[in-house]
């Protein structure tokens, strides 16, 4: 399946799309079938309601151990990651939680840019086993917005999605997504009546925002009850998550700083980075074959800043 989204906010006429897809056929069947696993939130107003003029607004989702209960006992292998938000997203990460302890990042797009999105091939596959859980966080900045941003498919709407490719294929789980539960919305809207998306959108658009109300909205998102949707391929399951569970987080290690010739600036990267980025004596970039395009882009961007500073 191929899915292409089009956006023409200026309603420009006579536009043509020349996008395409190229297929390669092999003579021998591959040993494994590749499949996809998606974490994050549903793309709807009940999932994402991001206030304006916020430096950072955090949306957390959590996929509990029961989601992976039917994975093969031998596990599956995560090989690539595709983080995705729209224009307001600035960071996306997913952590692997095992026995209530964060083991590692599945992938950390700490500096996400909507205009530079691609699948990131992991240098080493990450093994996932039955009973593993996952914490996903999307961070948004809305300093350039005067109105609330809601979840949806349009570019001006928002999404929180982290897609991973893996093998061998396990049809017991294709997505684990959350949304704020109906009871949480009823509580904050002070009503006992059922709430549909039309009523919710109207109520959200009528809110008045101040720095205090933005902070209160963040607290609401931090503590609100959620419902979870498990897409198990041939059927759906739903469950309730009273709050985002607490877990023992990763230990933060100090950066290894390396001086760059002809500059007082310093770059550092976490000691547990899985990609080797280094600099030679001529201050030129040296990358490994497994480096992603994003790593190379970051270097070009940093070098540009250094040249501007002189």
């Amino acid at each position: 399946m191929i899915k292409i989204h089009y956006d023409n906010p200026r309603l420009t006429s006579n536009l043509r799309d020349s996008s395409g897809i190229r297929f390669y056929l092999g003579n021998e069947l591959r040993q494994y079938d590749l499949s996809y696993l998606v974490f994050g939130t549903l793309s709807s107003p009940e999932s994402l309601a991001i206030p304006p003029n916020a430096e950072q607004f955090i949306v957390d989702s959590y996929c509990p151990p029961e989601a992976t209960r039917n994975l093969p006992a031998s596990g599956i292998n995560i090989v690539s990651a595709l983080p995705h938000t729209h224009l307001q997203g600035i960071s996306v990460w997913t952590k692997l939680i095992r026995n209530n302890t964060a083991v590692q990042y599945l992938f950390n797009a700490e500096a996400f840019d909507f205009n530079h999105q691609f699948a990131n091939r992991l240098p080493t596959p990450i093994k996932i086993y039955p009973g593993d859980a996952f914490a996903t966080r999307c961070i948004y900045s809305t300093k350039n917005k005067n109105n609330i941003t809601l979840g949806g498919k349009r570019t001006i709407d928002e999404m929180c999605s982290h897609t991973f490719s893996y093998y061998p294929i396990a049809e017991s789980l294709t997505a684990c997504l959350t949304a704020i539960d109906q009871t949480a919305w009823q509580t904050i809207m002070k009503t006992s009546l059922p709430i549909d998306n039309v009523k919710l959108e109207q109520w959200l658009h009528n809110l008045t925002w101040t720095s205090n109300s933005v902070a209160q909205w963040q607290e609401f998102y931090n503590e609100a009850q959620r419902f979870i949707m498990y897409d198990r391929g041939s059927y759906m399951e739903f469950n309730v998550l009273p709050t985002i569970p607490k877990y023992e987080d990763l230990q933060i290690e100090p950066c290894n700083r390396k001086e760059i010739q002809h500059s007082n600036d310093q770059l550092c990267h976490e000691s547990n980075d899985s990609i080797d980025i280094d600099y030679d004596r001529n201050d030129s970039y040296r990358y490994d074959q497994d480096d992603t395009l994003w790593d190379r882009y970051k270097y070009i961007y940093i070098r540009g800043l250094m040249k501007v500073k002189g």
Side-chain angles (χ1 to χ4, degrees):
M1 179 184 72
I2 179 172
K3 180 170 65 173
I4 300 176
H5 293 187
Y6 295 96
D7 187 28
N8 185 12
R10 297 180 181 178
L11 301 179
T12 306
S13 59
N14 299 321
L15 293 179
R16 290 182 176 272
D17 174 39
S18 59
S19 300
I21 185 169
R22 182 174 294 169
F23 291 92
Y24 294 90
L25 300 179
N27 295 324
E28 297 181 4
L29 187 65
R30 297 293 181 95
Q31 181 179 0
Y32 298 110
D33 287 333
L34 199 70
S35 191
Y36 296 92
L37 184 56
V38 185
F39 302 115
T41 73
L42 295 170
S43 301
S44 63
E46 63 184 346
S47 307
L48 295 171
I50 306 166
N53 202 30
E55 186 73 36
Q56 285 193 351
F57 189 80
I58 296 171
V59 175
D60 285 321
S61 64
Y62 190 85
C63 185
E66 69 169 345
T68 58
R69 66 176 185 263
N70 294 327
L71 290 182
S74 56
I76 59 175
N77 303 281
I78 303 291
V79 295
S80 74
L82 177 62
H84 178 67
T85 72
H86 288 172
L87 297 173
Q88 309 308 135
I90 59 173
S91 180
V92 182
W93 55 250
T94 295
K95 293 175 183 175
L96 168 60
I97 313 297
R98 185 171 292 155
N99 298 323
N100 206 40
T101 300
V103 176
Q104 66 181 107
Y105 285 104
L106 281 188
F107 192 76
N108 182 10
E110 186 176 12
F112 178 84
D113 188 336
F114 175 78
N115 296 303
H116 298 275
Q117 299 186 62
F118 32 77
N120 300 266
R121 183 178 178 182
L122 304 185
T124 304
I126 298 175
K127 203 81 171 180
I128 302 300
Y129 295 100
D132 283 346
F134 308 91
T136 297
R137 172 172 290 183
C138 294
I139 303 178
Y140 305 88
S141 177
T142 57
K143 295 296 288 185
N144 63 331
K145 298 293 291 290
N146 295 319
N147 300 310
I148 194 168
T149 303
L150 303 180
K153 302 293 186 181
R154 302 176 302 171
T155 303
I156 60 173
D157 301 326
E158 265 306 337
M159 298 182 71
C160 176
S161 173
H162 213 169
T163 302
F164 296 89
S165 61
Y166 73 90
Y167 74 91
I169 186 171
E171 297 179 354
S172 59
L173 184 66
T174 61
C176 182
L177 306 172
T178 65
I180 303 298
D181 191 59
Q182 176 98 180
T183 56
W185 286 120
Q186 288 173 325
T187 299
I188 199 169
M189 294 172 67
K190 299 179 180 179
T191 180
S192 58
L193 299 175
I195 302 170
D196 58 29
N197 277 344
V198 174
K199 292 179 181 178
L200 179 59
E201 284 191 50
Q202 290 174 345
W203 183 81
L204 290 169
H205 281 298
N206 287 331
L207 293 176
T208 300
W209 296 101
T210 65
S211 57
N212 286 336
S213 63
V214 170
Q216 292 170 358
W217 198 252
Q218 182 67 79
E219 291 180 9
F220 166 68
Y221 256 78
N222 292 346
E223 303 297 332
Q225 178 170 289
R226 289 159 168 81
F227 77 84
I228 312 173
M229 183 198 76
Y230 306 127
D231 186 343
R232 299 203 180 274
S234 59
Y235 66 98
M236 300 283 192
E237 279 186 358
F238 299 91
N239 207 341
V240 173
L241 191 67
T243 188
I244 298 293
K246 305 296 183 183
Y247 55 86
E248 185 177 343
D249 209 348
L250 297 170
Q251 297 297 316
I252 299 177
E253 299 182 15
C255 289
N256 293 325
R257 298 183 179 273
K258 298 185 178 181
E259 292 188 3
I260 299 180
Q261 192 174 1
H262 307 308
S263 174
N264 292 326
D265 296 335
Q266 290 181 316
L267 294 180
C268 67
H269 62 279
E270 295 182 7
S271 59
N272 63 350
D273 277 357
S274 57
I275 297 174
D276 180 23
I277 303 174
D278 209 344
Y279 301 86
D280 61 22
R281 292 183 179 180
N282 295 322
D283 198 18
S284 61
Y285 181 57
R286 184 172 72 249
Y287 60 86
D288 288 347
Q289 184 176 1
D290 286 328
D291 284 1
T292 65
L293 291 175
W294 174 239
D295 294 298
R296 302 175 198 182
Y297 169 80
K298 282 191 293 186
Y299 170 72
I300 295 170
Y301 175 73
I302 292 167
R303 287 293 300 139
L305 291 179
M306 289 166 53
K307 288 179 180 178
V308 169
K309 291 180 179 180

